[in-house]
Amino acid sequence: MTASPDRYTPKHGGVPAWSTGDRAKAAAELMLGWVALLWVLEAVDAATGHALDAYGIEPRRLGELRDVVPASFIHFGLGHVASNSVPLLVFGFLAALGGIRRFAAVAALIIVVDGLGVWLVSPAHTNTAGASGLVFGLFGYLLVRGFVDRKFLDIGAGLVVGALWGSSILLGISPANTEVSWQGHLFGLAAGVVAAFVFRRRGGTPAPLMP
């Protein structure tokens, strides 16, 4: 009886690297699950009379620091979550192709920095929530990741993302746009750029999907 082939490509540095198909499948499953969670939470919010809106961030109140992370999963209505779903799915998928563990670290940094920025500078008596900070952060991350890692494929992906969504991003960080939290968008974008440098690829060899 012949042994079945394993699912790994040759090892790099003693650690098996996952194939492109494995990476794409894992990235897709992760982001589909992430977006599905946002819709489930919004359904629960609607069913409970918007009780989850309390997990948004009200600036400069010490007790609100505990909502820095939860706020990125809460939305104010179906239209709000719908507007974030497609870009989050696309940007998250592209970012997660570089490795789930790396993506988790990038997303965590963006969410925390964005939430703290909102807490510090948003106008008083406001309540900010939504995944848009993460969306803007992943945009910034994808835009510069290829240049930081010196990978032509990622540079191309970043340029395509910039061409398709760049105008929307610029509008979202404009102080003239009073319908959204431009502060949260700006901090998210900046955090994504920083994340590309903090979690840049070293050594020039492909990293495993989940080392």
Side-chain angles (χ1 to χ4, degrees), residues 129-202:
S132 57
L134 177 59
V135 167
F136 276 67
L138 291 175
F139 175 88
Y141 173 74
L142 291 171
L143 202 62
V144 303
R145 177 184 63 175
F147 296 99
V148 174
D149 290 347
R150 299 181 181 179
K151 294 184 64 176
F152 289 111
L153 188 60
D154 288 344
I155 290 174
L159 291 176
V160 170
V161 166
L164 293 176
W165 274 279
S167 59
S168 297
I169 295 298
L170 289 175
L171 178 62
I173 62 175
S174 170
N177 190 351
T178 58
E179 296 181 359
V180 298
S181 173
W182 64 267
Q183 298 93 341
H185 294 170
L186 183 60
F187 273 98
L189 181 64
V193 173
V194 170
F197 288 91
V198 172
F199 302 109
R200 66 186 179 274
R201 185 75 70 219
R202 295 178 175 86

Side-chain angles (χ1 to χ4, degrees), residues 53-89:
D53 290 357
Y55 289 95
I57 301 171
E58 296 182 36
R60 294 172 295 283
R61 294 178 56 186
L62 287 179
E64 292 294 302
L65 287 172
R66 64 189 175 190
D67 294 331
V68 161
V69 173
S72 64
F73 295 88
I74 304 302
H75 292 80
F76 302 133
L78 295 178
H80 188 198
V81 69
S83 67
N84 284 327
S85 293
V86 172
L88 178 60
L89 189 61

